[in-house]
Amino acid sequence: MIHLVFGAAAAGSLHHAFRRENHTIIGFPIDYSIGPLRNIHESSGSNHYFAWAQSSFHTTWDYFKGDQAVYRESLQQLLAIKNGEQVTIWTCENATEQIGLRISCYLLRDKDVELRFVNTYKAMHASMKGQDVRIDIRHTNGCCAKELTHFYKHYTCPISEELRSDYVQNGESLLSSKSMARSWRQGEIVDELETKDDSFILDCATRLHHEMPHLEYIDAIRLVGDVLGNAEQSLSDIWIEYRVRSLIHSKQLAYEGDLQSMRMYKVKVV
């Protein structure tokens, strides 16, 4: 069995879950919900994506250099999948994994392979049915290895020819898209502006000001954590911090400190 999974943490958990099985795990350490997707399955597109990430996010270049190398290797592994193989694609109720599902189906469009998928959000709900506790996960990386093994055994679903055709069309469209951000709303991938989360970030900052009136400035890392914990969509901390800096540059937030790291500056709503 070959598994396709999106996100470095989710890939690590899946490797651990099937460490005793003769399964192949192909992980894509990329957030398909943000940044340029156009031709990301080709060298020109992936170079553009990682150049954008390097210029937008404050982290070390080695971080993205490593991710780019893993992404290219994973892409080669996917394209090398042979006819007759069984492939399970892991997804969840978020833009990045739903996009990954569709792009994978597009890249496998000419392969005679058996395609299945596991929606970990729905699998979690189904496994908790009849219990008093409801668990809503935002991403497959919210599952432990034991849960992933259980979901694979009990909640793997075949991808019908009709659904596969839809995913292939969606994937082709996504790979020609010029949007810079995407959300998952009511079962559909929606193109967004880069500013899609800005109003929510400002709302969170305003609320934190009210909760801590004695502080003129709020630690940027605290704001990022608050947004991360309360956002409806699955967001990354580096994306949120990028948008915080964008709000500073547009004069909607003021700051003090050093913008080179979210741990080194504070913000306030203008």
Side-chain angles (χ1 to χ4, degrees):
M1 176 61 67
I2 298 171
H3 300 264
L4 306 181
V5 60
F6 312 99
S13 295
L14 212 57
H15 273 290
H16 183 63
F18 295 107
R19 64 192 183 281
R20 295 187 178 90
E21 307 290 338
N22 187 26
H23 292 192
T24 299
I25 314 298
I26 303 176
F28 293 84
I30 195 168
D31 187 349
Y32 286 120
S33 71
I34 54 174
L37 278 188
R38 190 175 182 85
N39 296 328
I40 201 169
H41 61 308
E42 299 174 352
S43 294
S44 60
S46 64
N47 288 341
H48 185 205
Y49 178 90
F50 283 101
W52 169 83
Q54 182 193 3
S55 65
S56 300
F57 303 141
H58 280 177
T59 185
T60 63
W61 166 237
D62 287 344
Y63 174 89
F64 289 116
K65 191 175 182 180
D67 277 358
Q68 187 170 11
V70 172
Y71 176 76
R72 285 178 173 173
E73 182 181 351
S74 296
L75 193 60
Q76 290 174 356
Q77 286 182 283
L78 186 154
L79 294 173
I81 291 174
K82 295 181 173 59
N83 292 333
E85 295 280 11
Q86 293 181 322
V87 180
T88 298
I89 306 175
W90 293 78
T91 191
C92 194
E93 296 296 302
N94 60 62
T96 184
E97 291 184 88
Q98 290 291 336
I99 291 169
L101 167 64
R102 286 154 174 79
I103 288 178
S104 297
C105 286
Y106 173 75
L107 296 178
L108 292 169
R109 66 194 183 282
D110 296 325
K111 304 276 188 175
D112 182 17
V113 295
E114 181 183 338
L115 286 181
R116 309 173 182 180
F117 75 97
V118 180
N119 185 314
T120 51
Y121 178 90
K122 294 181 179 179
M124 183 68 78
H125 280 191
S127 68
M128 300 295 289
K129 189 175 181 180
Q131 300 187 36
D132 294 334
V133 178
R134 175 187 171 100
I135 299 177
D136 288 333
I137 58 170
R138 296 182 179 182
H139 196 285
T140 297
N141 65 18
C143 305
C144 67
K146 184 178 180 180
E147 289 168 336
L148 293 173
T149 303
H150 178 74
F151 295 165
Y152 174 70
K153 289 180 179 178
H154 299 284
Y155 300 108
T156 301
C157 302
I159 299 179
S160 67
E161 287 301 319
E162 181 181 1
L163 191 57
R164 182 171 179 172
S165 178
D166 287 343
Y167 286 162
V168 168
Q169 291 179 25
N170 292 162
E172 184 176 23
S173 177
L174 286 161
L175 290 171
S176 62
S177 172
K178 295 182 179 179
S179 73
M180 290 297 291
R182 293 147 292 275
S183 294
W184 178 247
R185 300 188 187 280
Q186 298 180 335
E188 293 186 356
I189 297 161
V190 181
D191 286 345
E192 303 266 23
L193 299 173
E194 270 194 290
T195 56
K196 68 184 181 72
D197 300 306
D198 289 5
S199 60
F200 183 68
I201 293 171
L202 289 170
D203 287 344
C204 289
T206 300
R207 176 172 48 76
L208 288 174
H209 277 308
H210 290 157
E211 292 175 359
M212 299 178 290
H214 57 290
L215 296 179
E216 182 181 5
Y217 286 88
I218 303 164
D219 288 335
I221 193 168
R222 181 163 189 166
L223 174 58
V224 170
D226 191 82
V227 175
L228 194 64
N230 291 291
E232 179 183 340
Q233 298 284 319
S234 176
L235 305 175
S236 68
D237 56 350
I238 57 174
W239 166 258
I240 298 167
E241 197 269 334
Y242 164 60
R243 294 315 309 164
V244 169
R245 282 185 283 108
S246 297
L247 288 166
I248 290 171
H249 296 320
S250 64
K251 308 298 183 184
Q252 297 180 73
L253 289 174
Y255 82 99
E256 62 176 21
D258 186 347
L259 292 179
Q260 288 305 306
S261 168
M262 73 176 82
R263 299 178 180 276
M264 297 171 63
Y265 69 95
K266 301 179 180 183
V267 297
K268 70 175 180 180
V269 177
V270 175

